[in-house]
Amino acid sequence: MKWLDLRSDTVTRPTPGMRRAMAEAEVGDDVFGDDPTVARLQTRVAELLGKEDALYVPSGTMGNQLALRAQTRHGDQIVCEAGAHIYRYEAGAPAALSGLLVTCVEAPGGALRWDLIEPALNPVDDLHAAPPAVICVENTHNRAGGRIVPQDLLTEIAASARARSLAVHLDGARLWNAHVATRLPLSELAAPADTVSVCFSKGLGAPVGSVLAGPRATIARARRLRKQWGGGMRQVGILAAACLYALDHHLQRLSEDHVHARLLVKGLDHPLLKSVHPVETNIVILGVEPPATVDGLLAHLRADGILAVAFGRGRVRLVPNLDVDKAGVVRVRESLEAFAV
Ligand SMILES: Cc1ncc(COP(=O)(O)O)c(C=O)c1O
């Protein structure tokens, strides 16, 4: 039986075409700035996102954390949504690496709004308080089931933040999915933010890599910090080639994952399983109703050759991806429908 792995969009393996592109990549020492493939990727992503400069980094976590460190001082305050990856899933890095106070704001559906952020901001002129420096927004929002941040909310956040000299960082690990779902240009989605990180190892199917884009001076700081944090890499064009290949071949096909995600839950009328969020992109989060349990559902799926993952109390996440075709998605749907206690 072929396993259907829907734990995440990170589980995909490079395709033969991608492996060929990697094997044939022109490379050089990227710490010396000599790798032409990395340079091509950085230029292309900066252009796509409408930013001055960009930096290739090993992971989304490093992209996010470099953005924070490059735009803050130790002891500053940053604000993000309570379910944000930066806060929940980056091993406490804002505190550990940059000495930041993270203030979380709960927003329905993960859609952060300025009227929720403003009351959480510390006063700048009170010496008892950590001064606010960066607002973080995540699009699409992973924990909110791949929800797309309404662009008007982000625009308002950025205008209000700018009026207070605060920076805005966009965790765009899955900005590609928002782009394909909304058809808004990537540059428009990124425009309100000062810095944006995007990932190639999620739905785009590359094995490694993210890019942080932003103003030239901020990216220069991030480049130095990347070296300090051990992320300066040498003939890394081999990996950047996979990212370029993904942009050329896997970007538009993300819409298939979105169709597949809807196929998993549309019209699902099951007494024990409820889709927690409207499915807008490639992530499905199912609430498991008592007397059924998350472990029970995961075991049932596993018996049918399907891998999913627990995602918060009483919840299971399924993420259609490059390695799961429509027939596979139909199999998963049938397995969900057959679930019983
Ligand atoms: C929204 C979001 N941001 C950042 C990351 C971090 O990416 P990485 O696992 O490459 O560090 C992830 C990973 O799943 C993510 O979902």
Side-chain angles (χ1 to χ4, degrees), residues 272-284:
L272 303 170
L273 303 176
K274 298 274 172 281
S275 176
V276 176
H277 301 283
V279 175
E280 296 182 354
T281 56
N282 65 333
I283 298 177
V284 170

PDB file of all heavy atoms in Angstrom, residues 272-284:
ATOM      1  N   LEU A 272     -18.860  12.906  13.995  1.00  0.00           N
ATOM      2  CA  LEU A 272     -17.674  12.987  14.861  1.00  0.00           C
ATOM      3  C   LEU A 272     -16.601  13.926  14.326  1.00  0.00           C
ATOM      4  O   LEU A 272     -15.616  14.191  15.018  1.00  0.00           O
ATOM      5  CB  LEU A 272     -17.074  11.583  15.033  1.00  0.00           C
ATOM      6  CG  LEU A 272     -18.019  10.526  15.599  1.00  0.00           C
ATOM      7  CD1 LEU A 272     -17.400   9.141  15.486  1.00  0.00           C
ATOM      8  CD2 LEU A 272     -18.359  10.855  17.054  1.00  0.00           C
ATOM      9  N   LEU A 273     -16.760  14.406  13.110  1.00  0.00           N
ATOM     10  CA  LEU A 273     -15.704  15.220  12.490  1.00  0.00           C
ATOM     11  C   LEU A 273     -16.286  16.519  11.953  1.00  0.00           C
ATOM     12  O   LEU A 273     -17.278  16.495  11.213  1.00  0.00           O
ATOM     13  CB  LEU A 273     -15.038  14.454  11.322  1.00  0.00           C
ATOM     14  CG  LEU A 273     -14.421  13.095  11.653  1.00  0.00           C
ATOM     15  CD1 LEU A 273     -13.907  12.436  10.376  1.00  0.00           C
ATOM     16  CD2 LEU A 273     -13.295  13.263  12.664  1.00  0.00           C
ATOM     17  N   LYS A 274     -15.660  17.632  12.317  1.00  0.00           N
ATOM     18  CA  LYS A 274     -16.125  18.938  11.826  1.00  0.00           C
ATOM     19  C   LYS A 274     -14.927  19.729  11.317  1.00  0.00           C
ATOM     20  O   LYS A 274     -13.903  19.802  12.003  1.00  0.00           O
ATOM     21  CB  LYS A 274     -16.765  19.747  12.974  1.00  0.00           C
ATOM     22  CG  LYS A 274     -17.991  19.101  13.589  1.00  0.00           C
ATOM     23  CD  LYS A 274     -19.263  19.443  12.825  1.00  0.00           C
ATOM     24  CE  LYS A 274     -20.465  18.651  13.295  1.00  0.00           C
ATOM     25  NZ  LYS A 274     -20.602  17.266  12.833  1.00  0.00           N
ATOM     26  N   SER A 275     -15.071  20.334  10.159  1.00  0.00           N
ATOM     27  CA  SER A 275     -14.020  21.226   9.672  1.00  0.00           C
ATOM     28  C   SER A 275     -14.050  22.495  10.533  1.00  0.00           C
ATOM     29  O   SER A 275     -15.090  23.135  10.660  1.00  0.00           O
ATOM     30  CB  SER A 275     -14.271  21.551   8.202  1.00  0.00           C
ATOM     31  OG  SER A 275     -13.325  22.482   7.770  1.00  0.00           O
ATOM     32  N   VAL A 276     -12.906  22.830  11.144  1.00  0.00           N
ATOM     33  CA  VAL A 276     -12.881  23.916  12.133  1.00  0.00           C
ATOM     34  C   VAL A 276     -12.906  25.285  11.459  1.00  0.00           C
ATOM     35  O   VAL A 276     -13.474  26.237  11.979  1.00  0.00           O
ATOM     36  CB  VAL A 276     -11.624  23.772  13.035  1.00  0.00           C
ATOM     37  CG1 VAL A 276     -11.506  24.933  14.007  1.00  0.00           C
ATOM     38  CG2 VAL A 276     -11.658  22.454  13.794  1.00  0.00           C
ATOM     39  N   HIS A 277     -12.234  25.399  10.309  1.00  0.00           N
ATOM     40  CA  HIS A 277     -12.152  26.691   9.615  1.00  0.00           C
ATOM     41  C   HIS A 277     -12.654  26.520   8.184  1.00  0.00           C
ATOM     42  O   HIS A 277     -12.517  25.444   7.600  1.00  0.00           O
ATOM     43  CB  HIS A 277     -10.695  27.179   9.544  1.00  0.00           C
ATOM     44  CG  HIS A 277     -10.056  27.349  10.880  1.00  0.00           C
ATOM     45  ND1 HIS A 277     -10.323  28.419  11.691  1.00  0.00           N
ATOM     46  CD2 HIS A 277      -9.150  26.587  11.545  1.00  0.00           C
ATOM     47  CE1 HIS A 277      -9.614  28.312  12.807  1.00  0.00           C
ATOM     48  NE2 HIS A 277      -8.896  27.208  12.752  1.00  0.00           N
ATOM     49  N   PRO A 278     -13.163  27.596   7.601  1.00  0.00           N
ATOM     50  CA  PRO A 278     -13.435  27.518   6.161  1.00  0.00           C
ATOM     51  C   PRO A 278     -12.117  27.198   5.440  1.00  0.00           C
ATOM     52  O   PRO A 278     -11.074  27.742   5.809  1.00  0.00           O
ATOM     53  CB  PRO A 278     -13.891  28.935   5.804  1.00  0.00           C
ATOM     54  CG  PRO A 278     -14.145  29.636   7.090  1.00  0.00           C
ATOM     55  CD  PRO A 278     -13.402  28.929   8.164  1.00  0.00           C
ATOM     56  N   VAL A 279     -12.190  26.307   4.449  1.00  0.00           N
ATOM     57  CA  VAL A 279     -10.952  25.930   3.745  1.00  0.00           C
ATOM     58  C   VAL A 279     -10.700  26.930   2.621  1.00  0.00           C
ATOM     59  O   VAL A 279     -11.435  26.978   1.644  1.00  0.00           O
ATOM     60  CB  VAL A 279     -11.058  24.494   3.195  1.00  0.00           C
ATOM     61  CG1 VAL A 279      -9.826  24.149   2.367  1.00  0.00           C
ATOM     62  CG2 VAL A 279     -11.205  23.512   4.349  1.00  0.00           C
ATOM     63  N   GLU A 280      -9.667  27.740   2.780  1.00  0.00           N
ATOM     64  CA  GLU A 280      -9.362  28.770   1.773  1.00  0.00           C
ATOM     65  C   GLU A 280      -8.155  28.399   0.922  1.00  0.00           C
ATOM     66  O   GLU A 280      -7.998  28.898  -0.184  1.00  0.00           O
ATOM     67  CB  GLU A 280      -9.122  30.119   2.459  1.00  0.00           C
ATOM     68  CG  GLU A 280     -10.369  30.634   3.173  1.00  0.00           C
ATOM     69  CD  GLU A 280     -10.171  31.990   3.820  1.00  0.00           C
ATOM     70  OE1 GLU A 280      -9.039  32.515   3.835  1.00  0.00           O
ATOM     71  OE2 GLU A 280     -11.168  32.519   4.335  1.00  0.00           O
ATOM     72  N   THR A 281      -7.272  27.554   1.459  1.00  0.00           N
ATOM     73  CA  THR A 281      -6.076  27.170   0.686  1.00  0.00           C
ATOM     74  C   THR A 281      -5.821  25.665   0.819  1.00  0.00           C
ATOM     75  O   THR A 281      -6.679  24.887   0.435  1.00  0.00           O
ATOM     76  CB  THR A 281      -4.846  28.023   1.083  1.00  0.00           C
ATOM     77  OG1 THR A 281      -4.633  27.912   2.502  1.00  0.00           O
ATOM     78  CG2 THR A 281      -5.059  29.487   0.713  1.00  0.00           C
ATOM     79  N   ASN A 282      -4.672  25.276   1.374  1.00  0.00           N
ATOM     80  CA  ASN A 282      -4.307  23.851   1.319  1.00  0.00           C
ATOM     81  C   ASN A 282      -4.344  23.150   2.670  1.00  0.00           C
ATOM     82  O   ASN A 282      -3.842  22.028   2.777  1.00  0.00           O
ATOM     83  CB  ASN A 282      -2.892  23.697   0.736  1.00  0.00           C
ATOM     84  CG  ASN A 282      -1.820  24.317   1.619  1.00  0.00           C
ATOM     85  OD1 ASN A 282      -2.094  25.250   2.370  1.00  0.00           O
ATOM     86  ND2 ASN A 282      -0.614  23.804   1.524  1.00  0.00           N
ATOM     87  N   ILE A 283      -4.881  23.805   3.703  1.00  0.00           N
ATOM     88  CA  ILE A 283      -4.836  23.182   5.034  1.00  0.00           C
ATOM     89  C   ILE A 283      -6.255  22.895   5.524  1.00  0.00           C
ATOM     90  O   ILE A 283      -7.127  23.747   5.426  1.00  0.00           O
ATOM     91  CB  ILE A 283      -4.097  24.101   6.030  1.00  0.00           C
ATOM     92  CG1 ILE A 283      -2.645  24.322   5.584  1.00  0.00           C
ATOM     93  CG2 ILE A 283      -4.142  23.537   7.445  1.00  0.00           C
ATOM     94  CD1 ILE A 283      -1.845  25.274   6.456  1.00  0.00           C
ATOM     95  N   VAL A 284      -6.432  21.664   6.025  1.00  0.00           N
ATOM     96  CA  VAL A 284      -7.721  21.278   6.599  1.00  0.00           C
ATOM     97  C   VAL A 284      -7.491  20.940   8.067  1.00  0.00           C
ATOM     98  O   VAL A 284      -6.588  20.162   8.392  1.00  0.00           O
ATOM     99  CB  VAL A 284      -8.291  20.034   5.870  1.00  0.00           C
ATOM    100  CG1 VAL A 284      -9.503  19.482   6.611  1.00  0.00           C
ATOM    101  CG2 VAL A 284      -8.645  20.386   4.426  1.00  0.00           C
TER     102      VAL A 284
END
